[in-house]
Amino acid sequence: MKILRASRMERCIGCHSCSLACARLVHKRLSWNTAGIRISSAGGLSTGFEARTCVACNPAPCATACPTGAFSQRKGGGVKVDRSLCIRCGNCAEACPVEAIYIDPEESFPYVCIHCGRCVPFCPHACLELADADEGRQEYGGGQGTGTGRDHGGQ
């Protein structure tokens, strides 16, 4: 099972190509706010950028907190999402330890990375990669962390 890793965020220029690819290809939306990966920075190029994405918890607290089964555990870590079951309660976002679930204020629907990797080829500086789940856990310290390149030395 593969998981998305933002392993080379020191290369990121904040172009949001990954977020736009996710929003367009996965969620059929045009806003980078409706993506499973979000890029942020406190100071732009001078301070660098961070990728906010799911760290593939196993077990996933968001799946446990979901009262309808819209979020279910994905084999190897992370979650699968069935939009048709979501009642938009926001319990998943509250349970996420790394704030990787974004609740769209217009429709109250949660957006989270599903580790499909469709964003990876759109990054012009190869900041993202799909890695084996076991390999990712070792670097993310057992599935805990923020999903940012900075927490792991930006390697």
Side-chain angles (χ1 to χ4, degrees):
M1 189 62 64
K2 301 281 187 181
I3 61 171
L4 180 70
R5 292 178 39 197
S7 56
R8 293 177 292 272
M9 288 304 291
E10 75 279 3
R11 299 177 179 179
C12 182
I13 60 170
C15 69
H16 296 269
S17 294
C18 55
S19 299
L20 290 171
C22 178
R24 182 71 180 119
L25 298 174
V26 177
H27 299 290
K28 312 299 182 204
R29 306 289 300 242
L30 291 176
S31 169
W32 58 51
N33 288 327
T34 57
I37 182 170
R38 291 180 311 284
I39 304 299
S40 63
S41 174
L45 289 174
S46 63
T47 60
F49 295 89
E50 296 179 348
R52 178 76 50 190
T53 188
C54 173
V55 295
C57 298
N58 193 8
C62 57
T64 303
C66 180
T68 64
F71 276 53
S72 58
Q73 184 68 50
R74 178 178 171 259
K75 183 180 177 184
V79 293
K80 296 184 283 187
V81 180
D82 183 343
R83 288 181 70 123
S84 68
L85 297 176
C86 182
I87 59 172
R88 304 171 189 197
C89 65
N91 288 355
C92 54
E94 290 177 18
C96 179
V98 295
E99 300 178 6
I101 300 172
Y102 175 75
I103 302 291
D104 179 27
E106 291 182 19
E107 61 178 8
S108 299
F109 186 80
Y111 290 89
V112 64
C113 176
I114 57 172
H115 301 277
C116 67
R118 295 183 81 179
C119 58
V120 172
F122 289 90
C123 178
H125 296 284
C127 301
L128 308 171
E129 65 180 345
L130 278 180
D132 287 328
D134 292 336
E135 179 183 330
R137 286 209 200 307
Q138 291 171 356
E139 291 208 15
Y140 283 112
Q144 301 297 314
T146 63
T148 66
R150 290 178 189 269
D151 294 342
H152 311 289
Q155 310 271 328

